[in-house]
Amino acid sequence: MAHVQIPPPELVPFGMRALKCVAMADGSFAEPERALLEAAQQLFRVSVDLDALAPITPAELAGAVEDPALRLQLVRAMLMVSLVDGEASPAEAAQVRAFADALGIGAEELRTFEKISEGHLLTARFEVLRRFWAVPHVRARVEKEGLPWLAKTLAAFVGLRENTALAERYRKLQEYPSHTLGHAYFRFVRDNGFSLPGEKGSPPEPIILHDLTHVLSGYGTDPTGEICVTAFHAGYRQQNPFTFILFSMMQFNLGIRMVPIAAAAKQQVDPARWLQAAHRGSQMTRDITDGTWDWWENLPRDIEEVRAELGIPPLATG
């Protein structure tokens, strides 16, 4: 999906100078910010002396970086630098805006970040959740199956009534051979104390795509695992990929509770692991959340065959 594009080596110093400018906008080059820039250098296989980097103006950066895709990626990297230290300062937001304007980038996530920096957290939460990948999936199911489907889904979600027909279909995954994706998914749900689709307390069925991303990527459900899996999502996601990053950064690094089922936390992001996870996801051959990937066709298959078909690198070396 190429959401982590490797820039030409000669452009890396320009990008690093801009990222350091963003980090220093609030007066300090915090350790998480430095760690993120060091991790990016490792990924790009270019070594730059961060302490020796001179500042760069927005006009100079725009003159050096012409590729629109790299410009967008660079602005998103600036947002990551701004958030990775657990704060979203107005000074850093202003610096990112200056660079983004010079680069001609007006991404939605930049406006959301500015709202976070201004303390408009409810508005920021709404904007992130509105762009969340599951929303169009749920909307499509309602359009296809009508309000009865929505009523059954909500009743199961709030724990009022099980959708037994749907739940039984998923419970049968326990009978699948142990090497299949379906059995691995069943074990993932049960081992983590979650509910299968249709069971009381279960979210809408399309959320299975998030759980399957956990299973296929190998990331766990602790804060570090959730941060990595959202970065992995962002790597392969075609539409609004950075929404995943904002969601996990707000939930696990800024201490802003995004969903009622998970407690918020601060400064849980490991920059190197996050960037590695995003790069792994970007090597996938397709976006499994775009509505064209049929999980029921893949649940009976060998999980390693599915991983190979999707181009997922091994967890240890990805």
Side-chain angles (χ1 to χ4, degrees):
M1 298 297 106
H3 289 308
V4 181
Q5 183 174 338
I6 306 299
E10 64 271 16
L11 292 184
V12 172
F14 289 95
M16 289 293 167
R17 289 168 64 192
L19 294 175
K20 186 179 177 182
C21 281
V22 171
M24 293 291 295
D26 62 358
S28 67
F29 192 17
E31 184 56 37
E33 296 168 332
R34 178 184 292 272
L36 182 57
L37 268 62
E38 290 174 346
Q41 290 188 67
Q42 291 179 5
L43 177 62
F44 300 153
R45 301 181 187 278
V46 175
S47 181
V48 177
D49 183 351
L50 297 178
D51 293 316
L53 288 176
I56 188 171
T57 66
E60 187 180 358
L61 181 66
V65 182
E66 299 179 353
D67 182 346
L70 281 178
R71 286 184 166 196
L72 176 59
Q73 178 171 289
L74 185 52
V75 170
R76 286 172 170 166
M78 293 175 189
L79 295 178
M80 275 298 302
V81 169
S82 300
L83 294 169
V84 75
D85 63 352
E87 304 291 340
S89 75
E92 289 180 338
Q95 182 67 80
V96 175
R97 170 58 70 180
F99 280 126
D101 286 347
L103 294 170
I105 300 298
E108 284 185 306
E109 52 262 32
L110 174 55
R111 294 189 289 275
T112 302
F113 170 69
E114 289 173 330
K115 289 182 172 63
I116 297 171
S117 72
E118 295 164 359
H120 302 311
L121 302 185
L122 287 178
T123 303
R125 286 178 73 250
F126 174 78
E127 289 187 356
V128 171
L129 294 174
R130 175 179 58 84
R131 295 196 298 268
F132 205 61
W133 67 271
V135 173
H137 284 270
V138 173
R139 186 182 300 119
R141 291 292 291 270
V142 173
E143 292 175 355
K144 180 180 179 181
E145 302 184 37
L147 293 178
W149 177 85
L150 181 60
K152 289 181 180 179
T153 297
L154 291 176
F157 181 54
V158 301
L160 291 178
R161 184 171 60 255
E162 176 180 276
N163 182 344
T164 303
L166 181 63
E168 283 298 326
R169 187 181 187 192
Y170 279 96
R171 287 176 190 136
K172 289 181 180 178
L173 296 177
Q174 183 179 17
E175 302 169 9
Y176 282 25
S178 60
H179 61 84
T180 63
L181 176 60
H183 186 86
Y185 165 71
F186 180 88
R187 287 266 45 95
F188 169 84
V189 171
R190 289 294 187 245
D191 291 348
N192 283 284
F194 301 152
S195 299
L196 290 166
E199 292 182 337
K200 289 183 179 180
S202 63
E205 187 181 8
I207 298 298
I208 186 179
L209 292 168
H210 173 70
D211 292 338
L212 287 174
T213 298
H214 271 287
V215 174
L216 290 166
S217 67
Y219 296 119
T221 57
D222 61 314
T224 298
E226 290 292 352
I227 290 166
C228 285
V229 86
T230 52
F232 187 88
H233 267 297
Y236 74 70
R237 177 75 175 160
Q238 286 285 294
Q239 186 176 7
N240 293 327
F242 203 78
T243 296
F244 285 102
I245 304 304
L246 277 177
F247 179 92
S248 64
M249 275 293 186
M250 292 170 73
Q251 175 78 24
F252 297 111
N253 218 52
L254 299 183
I256 302 170
R257 193 168 188 174
M258 299 295 291
V259 290
I261 60 174
K266 295 204 70 172
Q267 291 188 277
Q268 295 295 306
V269 169
D270 179 324
R273 293 186 66 180
W274 174 87
L275 194 57
Q276 181 193 55
H279 185 54
R280 278 186 79 215
S282 74
Q283 295 176 74
M284 281 181 62
T285 58
R286 66 181 299 174
D287 176 359
I288 66 172
T289 64
D290 67 0
T292 66
W293 191 76
D294 187 337
W295 62 81
W296 279 109
E297 289 184 358
N298 287 277
L299 289 174
R301 299 178 60 197
D302 184 286
I303 187 171
E304 294 303 332
E305 290 182 0
V306 178
R307 285 174 173 149
E309 182 179 279
L310 293 173
I312 300 174
L315 179 59
T317 59

Coordinates of all heavy atoms in Angstrom, one line a residue, residues 192-224:
N192 N -8.7 -13.7 24.9 CA -8.7 -12.3 25.3 C -10.0 -11.9 26.0 O -10.1 -10.8 26.5 CB -8.5 -11.4 24.1 CG -7.0 -11.3 23.7 OD1 -6.2 -10.7 24.3 ND2 -6.7 -12.0 22.6
G193 N -10.9 -12.9 26.2 CA -12.1 -12.6 26.9 C -13.1 -11.7 26.2 O -14.0 -11.0 26.8
F194 N -13.0 -11.7 24.8 CA -13.9 -10.9 24.0 C -15.2 -11.7 23.7 O -15.3 -12.9 24.0 CB -13.3 -10.4 22.7 CG -12.0 -9.6 22.9 CD1 -11.0 -9.6 22.0 CD2 -11.9 -8.8 24.1 CE1 -9.9 -8.8 22.1 CE2 -10.8 -8.0 24.3 CZ -9.7 -8.0 23.3
S195 N -16.1 -11.1 23.0 CA -17.3 -11.8 22.5 C -17.3 -12.0 21.0 O -16.8 -11.1 20.3 CB -18.6 -10.9 22.9 OG -18.7 -10.7 24.2
L196 N -17.7 -13.1 20.6 CA -17.8 -13.4 19.1 C -19.0 -12.6 18.6 O -19.9 -12.2 19.3 CB -18.1 -14.9 18.9 CG -16.9 -15.8 19.2 CD1 -17.4 -17.2 19.2 CD2 -15.8 -15.7 18.1
P197 N -18.9 -12.2 17.3 CA -20.1 -11.5 16.7 C -21.4 -12.2 17.0 O -21.5 -13.4 16.9 CB -19.7 -11.5 15.2 CG -18.3 -11.6 15.2 CD -17.9 -12.4 16.3
G198 N -22.4 -11.4 17.4 CA -23.7 -11.9 17.8 C -23.9 -12.2 19.2 O -25.0 -12.2 19.8
E199 N -22.7 -12.5 20.0 CA -22.8 -12.8 21.4 C -23.1 -11.4 22.1 O -22.8 -10.4 21.6 CB -21.6 -13.4 21.9 CG -21.4 -14.8 21.4 CD -20.1 -15.5 21.9 OE1 -19.2 -14.8 22.3 OE2 -20.1 -16.8 21.9
K200 N -23.6 -11.6 23.4 CA -23.8 -10.4 24.2 C -22.5 -9.6 24.4 O -21.5 -10.2 24.7 CB -24.5 -10.7 25.5 CG -25.9 -11.2 25.4 CD -26.5 -11.5 26.8 CE -27.9 -11.9 26.7 NZ -28.5 -12.2 28.0
G201 N -22.5 -8.3 24.2 CA -21.4 -7.5 24.4 C -20.5 -7.4 23.2 O -19.4 -6.7 23.2
S202 N -20.9 -8.0 22.1 CA -20.1 -7.9 20.8 C -20.3 -6.7 20.1 O -21.5 -6.2 20.0 CB -20.4 -9.2 20.0 OG -21.7 -9.1 19.5
P203 N -19.3 -6.1 19.5 CA -19.5 -4.9 18.6 C -20.1 -5.4 17.3 O -20.2 -6.6 17.0 CB -18.0 -4.4 18.4 CG -17.2 -5.6 18.6 CD -17.9 -6.5 19.6
P204 N -20.4 -4.4 16.4 CA -20.9 -4.8 15.0 C -20.0 -5.8 14.3 O -18.7 -5.7 14.5 CB -21.0 -3.4 14.3 CG -21.2 -2.4 15.4 CD -20.4 -2.9 16.6
E205 N -20.5 -6.7 13.6 CA -19.8 -7.7 12.9 C -18.6 -7.3 12.1 O -17.5 -7.9 12.2 CB -20.7 -8.6 12.0 CG -20.0 -9.8 11.5 CD -20.9 -10.6 10.6 OE1 -22.1 -10.1 10.3 OE2 -20.5 -11.7 10.2
P206 N -18.6 -6.1 11.4 CA -17.4 -5.7 10.6 C -16.2 -5.5 11.4 O -15.1 -5.5 10.9 CB -17.9 -4.4 9.9 CG -19.4 -4.6 9.8 CD -19.8 -5.3 11.0
I207 N -16.3 -5.3 12.8 CA -15.2 -5.1 13.6 C -14.3 -6.3 13.6 O -13.1 -6.3 14.0 CB -15.6 -4.8 15.1 CG1 -16.4 -3.4 15.1 CG2 -14.4 -4.6 16.0 CD1 -15.6 -2.2 14.6
I208 N -14.8 -7.5 13.1 CA -13.9 -8.6 13.0 C -12.7 -8.3 12.2 O -11.6 -9.0 12.4 CB -14.7 -9.8 12.3 CG1 -13.9 -11.1 12.3 CG2 -15.2 -9.5 10.9 CD1 -14.6 -12.3 11.7
L209 N -12.8 -7.4 11.3 CA -11.6 -7.0 10.4 C -10.5 -6.5 11.3 O -9.3 -6.6 11.0 CB -12.0 -6.0 9.3 CG -12.9 -6.6 8.3 CD1 -13.5 -5.5 7.4 CD2 -12.2 -7.6 7.4
H210 N -10.8 -5.8 12.4 CA -9.8 -5.3 13.3 C -9.1 -6.5 14.0 O -7.9 -6.6 14.1 CB -10.3 -4.3 14.3 CG -9.4 -3.9 15.3 ND1 -8.3 -3.1 15.1 CD2 -9.3 -4.2 16.7 CE1 -7.6 -2.9 16.2 NE2 -8.2 -3.6 17.2
D211 N -10.0 -7.4 14.5 CA -9.5 -8.5 15.2 C -8.7 -9.4 14.3 O -7.7 -10.0 14.8 CB -10.7 -9.3 15.9 CG -11.4 -8.6 17.0 OD1 -10.7 -7.7 17.5 OD2 -12.5 -8.8 17.2
L212 N -9.1 -9.6 13.1 CA -8.3 -10.4 12.1 C -7.0 -9.8 11.8 O -6.0 -10.5 11.6 CB -9.1 -10.6 10.9 CG -10.3 -11.6 11.0 CD1 -11.1 -11.7 9.7 CD2 -9.8 -13.0 11.3
T213 N -6.9 -8.4 11.9 CA -5.7 -7.8 11.7 C -4.7 -8.1 12.8 O -3.5 -8.3 12.6 CB -5.9 -6.2 11.5 OG1 -6.7 -6.0 10.4 CG2 -4.6 -5.5 11.4
H214 N -5.3 -8.1 14.1 CA -4.5 -8.6 15.2 C -3.9 -10.0 14.9 O -2.7 -10.3 15.1 CB -5.3 -8.7 16.4 CG -5.4 -7.4 17.3 ND1 -4.3 -7.0 18.0 CD2 -6.4 -6.5 17.4 CE1 -4.6 -5.8 18.6 NE2 -5.9 -5.5 18.3
V215 N -4.8 -10.9 14.5 CA -4.4 -12.3 14.3 C -3.3 -12.4 13.2 O -2.3 -13.1 13.3 CB -5.6 -13.2 13.9 CG1 -5.2 -14.6 13.6 CG2 -6.6 -13.2 15.1
L216 N -3.6 -11.7 12.1 CA -2.7 -11.8 10.9 C -1.3 -11.1 11.2 O -0.3 -11.6 10.7 CB -3.3 -11.2 9.7 CG -4.5 -12.0 9.1 CD1 -5.3 -11.2 8.1 CD2 -4.0 -13.3 8.4
S217 N -1.4 -10.0 11.9 CA -0.1 -9.3 12.1 C 0.7 -9.9 13.3 O 1.9 -9.7 13.4 CB -0.4 -7.8 12.4 OG -1.1 -7.7 13.6
G218 N 0.0 -10.5 14.2 CA 0.7 -11.1 15.4 C 0.8 -10.2 16.6 O 1.4 -10.5 17.6
Y219 N 0.2 -9.0 16.5 CA 0.2 -8.0 17.6 C -0.8 -8.3 18.7 O -2.0 -8.7 18.3 CB 0.1 -6.6 17.1 CG 1.2 -6.2 16.2 CD1 0.9 -5.8 14.9 CD2 2.5 -6.2 16.6 CE1 2.0 -5.4 14.0 CE2 3.6 -5.8 15.8 CZ 3.3 -5.4 14.5 OH 4.3 -5.0 13.6
G220 N -0.5 -8.1 19.9 CA -1.4 -8.4 21.0 C -2.4 -7.3 21.3 O -2.5 -6.3 20.5
T221 N -3.1 -7.4 22.4 CA -4.1 -6.4 22.8 C -3.8 -5.5 24.0 O -4.6 -4.8 24.4 CB -5.4 -7.2 23.1 OG1 -5.2 -8.1 24.2 CG2 -5.9 -7.9 21.9
D222 N -2.5 -5.6 24.5 CA -2.1 -4.6 25.5 C -1.9 -3.3 24.8 O -2.0 -3.2 23.5 CB -0.8 -5.1 26.1 CG 0.3 -5.3 25.1 OD1 0.1 -5.8 24.0 OD2 1.4 -4.8 25.3
P223 N -1.7 -2.2 25.5 CA -1.5 -0.9 24.8 C -0.4 -0.9 23.7 O -0.7 -0.3 22.7 CB -1.1 0.0 26.0 CG -1.8 -0.6 27.2 CD -1.7 -2.0 27.0
T224 N 0.7 -1.5 24.0 CA 1.7 -1.6 23.0 C 1.3 -2.3 21.7 O 1.5 -1.9 20.6 CB 3.0 -2.3 23.5 OG1 3.5 -1.5 24.6 CG2 4.1 -2.4 22.4

